[in-house]
Amino acid sequence: MTSIQSFIMALGHYNFLQSALLASIMVGLMSGVIGSFIILRGMSLMGDAISHSVLPGVALAYMLGINLLWGAAGFGLFAALLIGFVANHSRLKNDTAIGIVFSAFFALGFILISMAESSTNLHHILFGNVLAVSDQDLMTTAFILVIVLLFVVLLFKELQITSFDPHFAQVYGLNTQAIQYALMIVLTLVTGSALQTVGIILIVAMLITPAATAFLWTNRLDWMLVLAASFGLLASVVGLYFSYTFNWASGPAIVLMAALIFLVSFILAPKQGFIQKLGGQHD
């Protein structure tokens, strides 16, 4: 019996593995969709900042015995607002404000974690442990996935315009700042929901890599969203397989799969791939 057959059989017998698969699929989908807007807007560094800034919120939520998502969402949103405030009320550039805020929040999170004496849980928070996902985690992730899909469907035109031409969006009468903060809120929710799957350190990779892979294959936003979600889903499922089969940490396994998909796309993509561009240089 092959390892793939064993994995499929285990899916039919173990509820924890079924929950892990559902959680991985949902996180892969929402990461690809939101990540597409993150890279189009040049907000990769902001995504990294928010993913690190949620650590103190997670630590406080753990100490208080409440859902980790609410602590993560609160601190992630606070970090985004604080970064904007510092950048708008000083001579510092946005990337400098991001570096100051997220490093301070990350350090605070480590101190709170050490105070809670939960070093075992720290590993899971940092790198994920999707095989330990609970029914409550699953329901919360499903709820956030619905929010993400509704957000993108209802505000698709606004997100498209503000992503590609923010100056025209302002002339058109759109409140670009409000849309930006709404995206930050959704990004924070996605980050919090992915804690159990890929962990704080690696969530930024799931936000960026599938979307960047999709960007190599298409110039249309709608297709980019579909492809990014598909690549995120594929990486999550295959990563879960390797995590279960070889007892790897779920986060690194999933992110590694996403990176391999990107590498193949970087080489083979029909218009943006390395081979195609290399051929064009020789013509």
Side-chain angles (χ1 to χ4, degrees):
M1 183 182 294
T2 65
S3 58
I4 296 178
Q5 290 174 323
S6 299
F7 178 69
I8 294 174
M9 287 187 63
L11 277 172
H13 287 88
Y14 301 119
N15 289 332
F16 77 91
L17 195 56
Q18 296 168 7
S19 297
L21 179 63
L22 287 174
S24 299
I25 289 173
M26 289 189 289
V27 168
L29 288 173
M30 70 176 81
S31 297
V33 170
I34 291 301
S36 297
F37 294 107
I38 297 302
I39 69 166
L40 287 175
R41 290 168 172 260
M43 291 169 53
S44 299
L45 188 57
M46 177 63 84
D48 191 25
I50 290 180
S51 67
H52 284 73
S53 298
V54 302
L55 185 58
V58 171
L60 280 177
Y62 177 84
M63 294 167 69
L64 296 174
I66 61 176
N67 193 310
L68 301 184
L69 173 65
W70 306 123
F75 269 79
L77 181 57
F78 178 52
L81 294 173
L82 187 58
I83 288 169
F85 181 83
V86 172
N88 293 331
H89 293 82
S90 71
R91 297 175 58 191
L92 299 175
K93 293 185 178 180
N94 198 53
D95 59 340
T96 304
I98 288 174
I100 293 171
V101 172
F102 98 73
S103 57
F105 274 50
F106 201 49
L108 175 61
F110 268 98
I111 292 174
L112 292 175
I113 288 286
S114 64
M115 290 173 60
E117 298 181 353
S118 55
S119 57
T120 301
N121 291 280
L122 175 62
H123 183 272
H124 292 163
I125 291 170
L126 294 180
F127 300 107
N129 182 21
V130 71
L131 296 178
V133 67
S134 66
D135 290 341
Q136 183 182 12
D137 294 329
L138 204 59
M139 292 178 62
T140 302
T141 303
F143 177 68
I144 294 173
L145 175 60
V146 172
I147 291 177
V148 169
L149 294 178
L150 286 175
F151 174 72
V152 172
V153 170
L154 295 176
L155 295 177
F156 180 79
K157 185 176 75 172
E158 289 80 1
L159 289 167
Q160 184 178 32
I161 295 173
T162 55
S163 295
F164 287 105
D165 195 340
H167 297 296
F168 173 76
Q170 288 181 326
V171 174
Y172 189 70
L174 293 178
N175 190 334
T176 57
Q177 191 171 23
I179 295 173
Q180 180 85 342
Y181 278 118
L183 184 61
M184 289 297 96
I185 293 172
V186 176
L187 172 61
T188 302
L189 292 174
V190 172
T191 300
S193 68
L195 290 177
Q196 193 72 44
T197 309
V198 294
I200 285 175
I201 290 180
L202 298 175
I203 178 56
V204 67
M206 283 303 292
L207 287 167
I208 295 173
T209 309
T213 306
F215 188 73
L216 295 176
W217 289 92
T218 182
N219 293 323
R220 290 182 51 183
L221 178 59
D222 51 354
W223 276 109
M224 181 179 176
L225 294 176
V226 172
L227 287 173
S230 301
F231 291 139
L233 185 154
L234 178 62
S236 296
V237 173
V238 177
L240 175 64
Y241 160 74
F242 281 105
S243 175
Y244 174 79
T245 303
F246 300 105
N247 197 29
W248 293 352
S250 60
I254 292 171
V255 169
L256 182 59
M257 292 307 108
L260 288 175
I261 296 170
F262 173 80
L263 178 61
V264 172
S265 299
F266 176 76
I267 296 172
L268 299 178
K271 293 184 179 180
Q272 301 293 330
F274 179 75
I275 291 179
Q276 179 68 26
K277 289 193 172 184
L278 192 63
Q281 290 178 354
H282 289 310
D283 291 341

